[in-house]
Amino acid sequence: MKIENPTSRDIADLAGVSQATVSRALRNSPLVRPETRSRIQEIAKELNYFVNRNAAGLRTHHSNTIALLLFDETGGEETQINPFFLSMLGYITSAAARLDYDVLISLQQLHDDWHIEYQASHRADGLILLGYGDYRTYKEKLAALAAANTRFIIFGPIIKDQPGNSIGCDNINGGYQATRHLLDIGRKRIAFLGNTTRRCPEFADRYRGYVKAHEAVGISPEASLKVDADNLEQLGIHAVQSLLDGGESFDAIFAVTDVVAIGAIKALQERGLSVPGDVSVVGFDDVPLAAHVTPALTTVQQDTRLASESLVEAIVGLIEAKPVESTQMAPQLIVRESCGGRS
Amino acid sequence: MKIENPTSRDIADLAGVSQATVSRALRNSPLVRPETRSRIQEIAKELNYFVNRNAAGLRTHHSNTIALLLFDETGGEETQINPFFLSMLGYITSAAARLDYDVLISLQQLHDDWHIEYQASHRADGLILLGYGDYRTYKEKLAALAAANTRFIIFGPIIKDQPGNSIGCDNINGGYQATRHLLDIGRKRIAFLGNTTRRCPEFADRYRGYVKAHEAVGISPEASLKVDADNLEQLGIHAVQSLLDGGESFDAIFAVTDVVAIGAIKALQERGLSVPGDVSVVGFDDVPLAAHVTPALTTVQQDTRLASESLVEAIVGLIEAKPVESTQMAPQLIVRESCGGRS
DNA sequence: CTGAAAGCGCTTACAG
DNA sequence: CTGAAAGCGCTTACAG
């Protein structure tokens, strides 16, 4: 029994019931007599029938789809997506699938027209925003989203006056842990690699943690040890070069991101310096490959699985009009080999 | 002027035309007078109107969406998606966006019910299959897809009798290049890390290239230097350990994948061996981080951008009922530091 | 527990 | 160039 593109009406005919009953049966409505229901479901299975999502969506005004917007543009043109966010993708998709949602992905440029469109066109019921972005351009877009009544949830820090809800990690705490570890193993001159302006609030918070850790041990960090670069991917390499070429002395590096830290290690080694012999390095994120570089990278781990699941729960909550709160999760220092010292 | 959820009818009323004309104008139909068209488009913009995709899809039987199925299960349970495939995701999404398609992602377990559903439910017009899979379980699922008239395209080797079209790289050639490079720099005993059965056709082909390279220089590869493991992520580490513990002597490794190669390097270094001093290592894929590990990994690069774009073009071709051919692309050896020797 | 009917918001022949 | 009308395949009040 093969029908090209079976509809609920085909099944109704075959089962000798009305199309409405088929629809009810397939959605497991308790209104339908159990025997009828299972008979209908069997026929559906045999015909390889699946509910037409467009028709159902048109009727119900739900797409059962979440749009995942990835943006990653703290730097150059052809930037690869940060592996950190990529690693969340799997968890997000699985969590969404468990709640019966599909995931639509979209790479965003920050200058893009931020796709109020997704929800307005009924392609998605809500959005998850993922990426280290430039907060300045960011904020007004969020306001536009909010104004259009779009449901969205941001992976990132909680920022006063920022529209919408955020789920992220406690970056101050993370920066503190990283820096404190370096200080505790006896490092004194710790370079900070990353942007610390309001542009990148998570990085600014990591820097605040860095300062706090210094204060806790009674050292004041030196401004000359703070280095930034336009492009996050190049930052590690460029920063080490400029530090070294500037004759700056330092015995440790706290990099704002694992990708930066790995670049820095590379650059140090190329200049004949040993990690952790001469310089200790700590990163942030615990990217999948952090454990595999040499030396294995000590870093601050964000629980991406928990974050991903929280994001999905939050957006689904928003879709179902349940109350949702912004939350912060505690990051955890993972000690590996790139710092040396006692561990 | 704010309307909660504007429809084409709202615009029609505002513009003083029929709803049909609005629909035509928004799709840039030449049937509509230019002035009328632009007036309508302006109103649509002002109202923040976007065509309801469910309604349009129901009418046209097109979702303008591609489903991207990622499967990655040559090994354990909680396997992370291979970064190699993850890096294709960005290119695929961009290429799809250029052709006006959305991308739905889905993580597949090979034992899953392989989602004939995607097309049958009109959520997607076609599928792209991505991953290193187990060919045995794979084949019958592909047959089921084909039987259900699902449009799909596989990233992988061209295999006789396999249903559907494939786009992939010439793995024999890639394996040859990698091995030949090791031989050319004077290595004699080259371990091969990976599965070489029909289960993993791409790996088997890479092995064939390995054998061919040996033959070309008149050496026959030794069976004892071929090592496999259940889990691709653990393979590199386990293989090196068993090779070393078995007292096997070798001066080079060709790993079937970068992830494997990186694990192998790690394990070698832990045993106090130098790469490339004692052992040269070549990988396959040119994963984003291959350039960042120490020593930087010499590897066989697959042009993921080209592959991604070809996949998208192919599936869109299939959707539009254009003829599509399976193709193979030539991989390219990228010489970095993990082999030493002349380069 | 079941059916007849309305309607979700579009697209597109058909007629003018 | 434009409009009236049908219909895509569902879901769900409404009536029985």
Side-chain angles (χ1 to χ4, degrees):
Chain A
M1 185 165 0
K2 276 282 154 198
I3 299 181
E4 193 60 44
N5 280 307
T7 69
S8 56
R9 179 142 283 130
D10 294 321
I11 297 179
D13 293 348
L14 251 32
V17 296
S18 75
Q19 181 269 332
T21 300
V22 171
S23 178
R24 289 195 192 96
L26 293 174
R27 324 188 87 237
N28 286 314
S29 160
L31 287 177
V32 147
R33 194 149 47 105
E35 303 95 82
T36 320
R37 190 197 308 169
S38 55
R39 187 159 44 93
I40 289 172
Q41 291 184 341
E42 263 164 42
I43 296 175
K45 187 157 203 177
E46 197 174 341
L47 286 188
N48 245 309
Y49 168 82
F50 294 95
V51 172
N52 183 319
R53 292 301 216 87
N54 288 135
L58 178 57
R59 229 359 277 236
T60 61
H61 300 287
H62 279 290
S63 61
N64 268 271
T65 301
I66 294 165
L68 179 61
L69 309 197
L70 284 161
F71 45 97
D72 200 44
E73 208 176 13
T74 332
E77 287 263 292
E78 270 277 328
T79 328
Q80 284 276 352
I81 305 170
N82 191 313
F84 174 63
F85 297 110
L86 240 25
S87 75
M88 292 183 66
L89 193 138
Y91 294 126
I92 289 177
T93 312
S94 309
R98 250 174 276 136
L99 296 175
D100 222 30
Y101 276 82
D102 285 324
V103 176
L104 209 53
I105 55 170
S106 167
L107 306 187
Q108 301 288 317
Q109 310 285 54
L110 271 185
H111 51 77
D112 272 0
D113 216 1
W114 255 47
H115 299 212
I116 289 172
E117 189 176 340
Y118 273 104
Q119 190 179 317
S121 66
H122 292 268
R123 259 129 122 194
D125 298 328
L127 317 181
I128 293 178
L129 311 187
L130 219 57
Y132 288 134
D134 185 327
Y135 174 63
R136 295 167 310 178
T137 50
Y138 203 65
K139 193 172 169 184
E140 59 191 49
K141 313 244 181 178
L142 295 181
L145 275 182
N149 265 320
T150 300
R151 290 173 285 257
F152 65 95
I153 183 101
I154 303 163
F155 178 69
I158 298 175
I159 298 172
K160 213 162 63 89
D161 298 335
Q162 178 170 278
N165 291 103
S166 304
I167 287 175
C169 98
D170 183 341
N171 288 290
I172 299 184
N173 177 329
Y176 181 88
Q177 286 189 57
T179 312
R180 188 62 200 254
H181 175 71
L182 291 169
L183 292 165
D184 285 351
I185 61 174
R187 298 305 187 175
K188 304 270 185 243
R189 296 184 57 81
I190 306 171
F192 179 91
L193 271 47
N195 186 297
T196 60
T197 66
R198 280 189 28 147
R199 255 185 69 182
C200 306
E202 41 253 289
F203 297 164
D205 277 353
R206 290 170 197 179
Y207 181 67
R208 254 183 264 168
Y210 163 92
V211 173
K212 250 178 83 181
H214 279 82
E215 286 167 354
V217 299
I219 300 182
S220 56
E222 280 182 45
S224 60
L225 291 175
K226 187 151 72 74
V227 193
D228 189 25
D230 283 341
N231 180 317
L232 207 48
E233 290 202 355
Q234 299 299 318
L235 170 55
I237 294 164
H238 288 345
V240 166
Q241 286 169 351
S242 82
L243 241 21
L244 254 26
D245 293 342
E248 208 61 60
S249 89
F250 58 99
D251 54 15
I253 286 175
F254 171 34
V256 92
T257 263
D258 281 352
V259 173
V260 174
I262 291 168
I265 290 177
K266 193 89 196 153
L268 288 166
Q269 290 170 337
E270 264 162 24
R271 292 297 197 95
L273 290 168
S274 144
V275 178
D278 300 310
V279 180
S280 295
V281 177
V282 183
F284 209 109
D285 285 347
D286 198 22
V287 150
L289 266 136
H292 295 290
V293 294
T294 306
L297 188 65
T298 291
T299 187
V300 179
Q301 182 180 66
Q302 306 195 51
D303 188 337
T304 50
R305 181 209 272 257
L306 178 60
S308 304
E309 288 168 356
S310 305
L311 285 166
V312 171
E313 274 161 35
I315 192 64
V316 171
L318 248 24
I319 291 167
E320 295 173 353
K322 289 183 201 148
V324 163
E325 301 240 318
S326 294
T327 52
Q328 279 204 338
M329 293 169 296
Q332 190 190 352
L333 184 75
I334 305 289
V335 175
R336 288 197 270 250
E337 301 156 6
S338 61
C339 290
R342 67 109 250 260
S343 60
Chain B
M1 184 162 5
K2 274 283 154 197
I3 298 181
E4 192 61 43
N5 280 308
T7 68
S8 56
R9 179 143 283 128
D10 294 321
I11 297 177
D13 292 348
L14 252 32
V17 297
S18 74
Q19 181 270 331
T21 299
V22 171
S23 179
R24 290 194 191 97
L26 293 174
R27 325 189 86 239
N28 285 315
S29 160
L31 286 177
V32 146
R33 196 150 45 106
E35 303 96 81
T36 320
R37 190 197 306 171
S38 55
R39 186 157 46 93
I40 290 172
Q41 292 184 340
E42 261 163 45
I43 296 176
K45 189 157 202 177
E46 198 175 342
L47 287 188
N48 244 308
Y49 167 83
F50 294 94
V51 172
N52 183 320
R53 291 299 216 89
N54 288 135
L58 177 57
R59 229 359 276 238
T60 60
H61 301 286
H62 279 289
S63 60
N64 268 269
T65 301
I66 294 166
L68 179 60
L69 308 196
L70 283 161
F71 44 97
D72 199 41
E73 208 175 15
T74 333
E77 288 262 292
E78 269 278 326
T79 328
Q80 284 275 352
I81 304 169
N82 191 313
F84 174 62
F85 297 110
L86 240 25
S87 74
M88 293 182 66
L89 193 139
Y91 293 127
I92 289 178
T93 312
S94 309
R98 251 173 275 135
L99 296 175
D100 222 29
Y101 276 82
D102 284 325
V103 175
L104 211 52
I105 55 169
S106 167
L107 305 187
Q108 301 289 316
Q109 309 286 53
L110 271 185
H111 51 78
D112 272 0
D113 216 1
W114 256 48
H115 300 213
I116 289 172
E117 191 177 340
Y118 273 103
Q119 190 178 318
S121 66
H122 292 269
R123 259 128 123 195
D125 299 327
L127 317 179
I128 293 178
L129 311 186
L130 219 57
Y132 288 134
D134 184 328
Y135 174 63
R136 295 167 310 178
T137 49
Y138 202 67
K139 193 173 169 184
E140 60 192 50
K141 313 243 180 179
L142 294 182
L145 275 183
N149 265 319
T150 300
R151 290 172 285 256
F152 64 95
I153 183 101
I154 303 163
F155 177 69
I158 298 174
I159 298 172
K160 213 162 65 90
D161 297 335
Q162 179 169 279
N165 292 102
S166 305
I167 287 175
C169 98
D170 184 342
N171 288 291
I172 299 184
N173 176 331
Y176 181 89
Q177 285 189 57
T179 313
R180 188 63 202 253
H181 176 70
L182 291 169
L183 292 165
D184 284 351
I185 60 173
R187 299 304 187 176
K188 303 268 185 243
R189 296 183 57 81
I190 305 171
F192 179 91
L193 273 47
N195 187 296
T196 61
T197 67
R198 280 189 28 145
R199 254 183 71 181
C200 306
E202 41 253 287
F203 297 163
D205 276 353
R206 290 170 198 180
Y207 181 66
R208 253 182 264 167
Y210 164 90
V211 173
K212 249 178 83 180
H214 279 83
E215 285 167 355
V217 298
I219 301 182
S220 55
E222 280 182 45
S224 60
L225 291 175
K226 186 151 75 73
V227 193
D228 189 24
D230 283 341
N231 181 317
L232 206 48
E233 291 203 355
Q234 299 299 319
L235 171 54
I237 294 163
H238 289 345
V240 165
Q241 286 168 352
S242 83
L243 240 23
L244 253 27
D245 294 343
E248 207 62 60
S249 89
F250 59 99
D251 55 14
I253 287 176
F254 171 34
V256 91
T257 262
D258 281 351
V259 173
V260 174
I262 291 168
I265 289 176
K266 193 89 196 154
L268 288 166
Q269 290 170 336
E270 265 161 23
R271 293 296 196 96
L273 290 168
S274 143
V275 178
D278 301 311
V279 180
S280 295
V281 177
V282 183
F284 208 109
D285 285 348
D286 198 23
V287 149
L289 266 134
H292 294 290
V293 294
T294 306
L297 189 64
T298 291
T299 188
V300 179
Q301 181 180 67
Q302 306 194 49
D303 188 337
T304 49
R305 180 209 273 259
L306 179 60
S308 304
E309 288 168 355
S310 306
L311 285 166
V312 171
E313 274 162 34
I315 191 64
V316 171
L318 248 26
I319 291 167
E320 296 173 351
K322 288 184 202 147
V324 163
E325 301 240 318
S326 293
T327 51
Q328 280 204 336
M329 293 167 297
Q332 189 191 351
L333 183 74
I334 306 289
V335 175
R336 289 198 268 250
E337 300 155 6
S338 62
C339 290
R342 67 107 248 263
S343 60

